[in-house]
Amino acid sequence: MFVHSDTVNEFKSDDGAIHVIERRCKLDIDAPRLLKKIAGVDYVYFVQKNSLNCRERTLHIEAHNETFSNRVIINEYCCYTVHPDNEDWTCFEQSASLDIKSFFGFESTVEKIAMKQYTSNIKKGKEIIEYYLHQLAEEGITFVPRWTPPVSCSLKKASSSSKHPVSAALSIPDSPPKEGLNNEILTSNSSSELVVGTPDDKLDADYIKRYLGDLTPLQESCLIRLRQWLQETHKGKIPKDEHILRFLRARDFNIDKAREIMCQSLTWRKQHQVDYILDTWNPPQVLQDYYAGGWHHHDKDGRPLYVLRLGQMDTKGLVRALGEEALLRYVLSINEEGLRRCEENTKVFGRPISSWTCLVDLEGLNMRHLWRPGVKALLRIIEVVEANYPETLGRLLILRAPRVFPVLWTLVSPFIDDNTRKKFLIYAGNDYQGPGGLLDYIDKEIIPDFLSGECMCEVPEGGLVPKSLYRTAEELENEDLKLWTETIYQSASVFKGAPHEILIQIVDASSVITWDFDVCKGDIVFNIYHSKRSPQPPKKDSVGAHSITSAVGNNVQLIDKVWQLGRDYSMVESPLICKEGESVQGSHVTRWPGFYILQWKFHSMPACATTSLPRVDDVLASLQVSSHKCKVMYYTEVIGSEDFRGSMTSLESSHSGFSQLSAATTSSNQSHSSSLISR
């Protein structure tokens, strides 16, 4: 469904025969709510270019997706022409291509949606054309005269042989049409390629060698033309030549593509005030203490060296204590500092240095790092960095990769650009100490001490973030931060005699209910029930299928007091006792359609059977929950069993709870019910 569009580029020839217009269109896709939630978007953007050639009587329409272009590539082409045998007839051709690289494990779902949308659009094509023909008829327009060249055009042609075009727009037209151009326009484009050869526009050779590196005449031409276009059209700070060159290299010196991603990046930088982040933003103390990364000298090529001890970092703790936005802002500040260090090293070494080297130590990496919201936060950070800091990573050295690393790599690699992926060097165990290892890229004198080197590294050692620093979604919301926890996690209070319950309606059997919750206070019992009829929702709380309205101290009870277990509802999983401070993830493959109730209930300490005297542990536990109140933060999701099984198969290589989850889910075809709860 079309929502809105903005004109990005527009070109008209002097004689009016050629009209090219490029628009950025905002569309509302008819996709499942869950898929939109996982993707994190409500709308998608497409770029459409219309090329009208009145002389040849043709209209070409090209469209491609801008949203998720690094995961899904959609190209559509339409052509209207005059029938060769009957000039009163219009021929229409349409073709499209779809290439799905990766989409959170929902590739088959996306393909089905795309095919459904495309088939629907084709069926509506004739209806839409007839609608506008009727609209023209109602306005009294039944005949449109053919285009004829204006008289002034012939006069311009006579004088064009002695003049070169002076319009900068002609020298770099906004994606000029590939066919149907008259001789005058072709002459203008060909002469624009020669503009670079003039002394005024050619870059100084010493400047290129010192700051930009070796450039071919064509690459130099592209740089000048793109910089000139920015100076004429962009309002605000113009990037330096080094940064413009990064975008050109990222798109193989295709000006149109480089200009597109650069414009998006400049808008993004202005919107988020990225240019001032190093001067105006101070990282929270939690990041300074527990983010195990920092700058450490330079490599043998003079590139700044960034060291990240990812295996020692508590990604879940950082997300829970700070939220995704703070982590993203910190990574952006690291990249901005990297750009600044590249400029400094260029001056120090007397040669162009436009990228940095990153050394990632994975010792200590385990399944905790694969906490789902943490991985989602990582994927978003990668996407933002890829889009706005292209060609800044010169080399990535991954050291001491454990057995669980292939799992993380399977999840992350589809979102990394192919050119960037080629710069990765991965070493398992102590292989980095052998031939072709670390010494080939970093001087012995600056190898960090934790890698058996001689140089003291001041990078924080990381460690677990204390749970006392965790903040609830409400606290983060009060700080006006857009966090994953604001949209993903709900918080609830559990009282003695008043459990918290959520309702999930299942239409298709063999769907998969997944959950992830933390017990923030007290001990609770987690239960899952099934009922064929829907419980009556509370009067003050609106409860829908898989939707709970969260508020401070939220507590919802759904199971009616008159209901009897075994008659009105049944238990589908054994009760699970969860202690304060525990994190619980699990899943349940539904056997029947109907209504499923997830319940968190207050856990009362059982009386000691052998003596009437209370135990010390019981007394301490009762003191901790003396208010008879517990608190949990939870997130649930329902996905189809086929999609769930497909997204887990890549994790089977790791002997962990995740591989057991995959095996349990796969076996559900026989048992129809499966569940795993892992801590």
Side-chain angles (χ1 to χ4, degrees), residues 247 250-251 256-266 387 390:
F247 285 91
R251 291 298 179 267
D256 292 334
K257 294 181 178 180
R259 178 176 58 206
E260 179 182 356
I261 61 173
M262 174 168 275
C263 288
Q264 295 172 6
S265 180
L266 292 176

Side-chain angles (χ1 to χ4, degrees), residues 76-296:
E76 188 170 2
Y77 179 76
C78 303
C79 179
Y80 293 83
T81 57
V82 176
H83 194 280
D85 298 328
N86 189 333
E87 292 188 350
D88 293 331
W89 292 357
T90 299
C91 296
F92 170 69
E93 298 177 52
Q94 181 173 345
S95 63
S97 63
L98 172 67
D99 182 12
I100 302 177
K101 296 182 178 179
S102 175
F103 205 86
F104 304 104
F106 289 85
E107 291 81 9
S108 60
T109 303
V110 173
E111 183 177 2
K112 291 177 183 177
I113 293 174
M115 293 302 296
K116 177 183 175 182
Q117 295 278 352
Y118 189 67
T119 304
S120 175
N121 289 342
I122 291 179
K123 292 180 179 179
K124 290 181 180 179
K126 181 180 179 181
E127 177 184 335
I128 294 172
I129 293 175
E130 290 178 347
Y131 170 83
Y132 283 107
L133 288 175
H134 289 313
Q135 191 176 48
L136 288 173
E138 291 175 0
E139 296 174 3
I141 301 175
T142 58
F143 174 76
V144 178
R146 294 184 184 178
W147 175 87
T148 56
V151 178
S152 59
C153 181
S154 59
L155 296 177
K156 288 184 178 181
K157 274 191 175 182
S159 59
S160 63
S161 59
S162 59
K163 293 183 179 181
H164 288 291
V166 295
S167 172
L170 285 177
S171 63
I172 47 170
D174 300 324
S175 302
K178 297 181 180 179
E179 55 187 88
L181 295 178
N182 60 10
N183 291 334
E184 178 189 0
I185 303 253
L186 288 173
T187 304
S188 300
N189 284 336
S190 60
S191 63
S192 68
E193 296 288 337
L194 302 177
V195 173
V196 184
T198 61
D200 294 336
D201 290 325
K202 191 172 183 179
L203 294 173
D204 181 76
D206 293 336
Y207 167 77
I208 294 176
K209 183 178 180 181
R210 177 71 187 272
Y211 295 100
L212 304 180
D214 296 329
L215 296 179
T216 66
L218 178 60
Q219 293 172 345
E220 184 181 331
S221 166
C222 292
L223 173 61
I224 292 174
R225 292 160 64 188
L226 185 53
R227 184 182 62 184
Q228 181 182 358
W229 181 84
L230 285 170
Q231 292 171 343
E232 294 176 353
T233 60
H234 183 68
K235 296 179 180 179
K237 185 178 179 181
I238 302 296
K240 297 181 180 180
D241 288 342
E242 300 94 305
H243 204 50
I244 297 176
L245 201 56
R246 290 187 179 101
F247 285 91
L248 284 168
R249 284 173 173 154
R251 291 298 179 267
D252 296 324
F253 287 89
N254 183 308
I255 290 185
D256 292 334
K257 294 181 178 180
R259 178 176 58 206
E260 179 182 356
I261 61 173
M262 174 168 275
C263 288
Q264 295 172 6
S265 180
L266 292 176
T267 303
W268 171 82
R269 293 182 71 89
K270 182 177 180 181
Q271 180 181 356
H272 298 281
Q273 298 291 300
V274 179
D275 290 331
Y276 311 104
I277 192 170
L278 291 178
D279 300 325
T280 60
W281 186 71
N282 293 319
Q285 191 62 41
V286 177
L287 279 173
Q288 299 180 36
D289 294 339
Y290 295 98
Y291 190 91
W295 295 99
H296 180 76

Side-chain angles (χ1 to χ4, degrees), residues 494-497 521 602 604 622 624-630:
V494 178
F495 303 94
K496 189 173 185 179
K521 180 181 179 183
F602 183 88
S604 300
S622 64
Q624 292 177 354
V625 293
S626 57
S627 63
H628 300 295
K629 176 183 177 182
C630 303

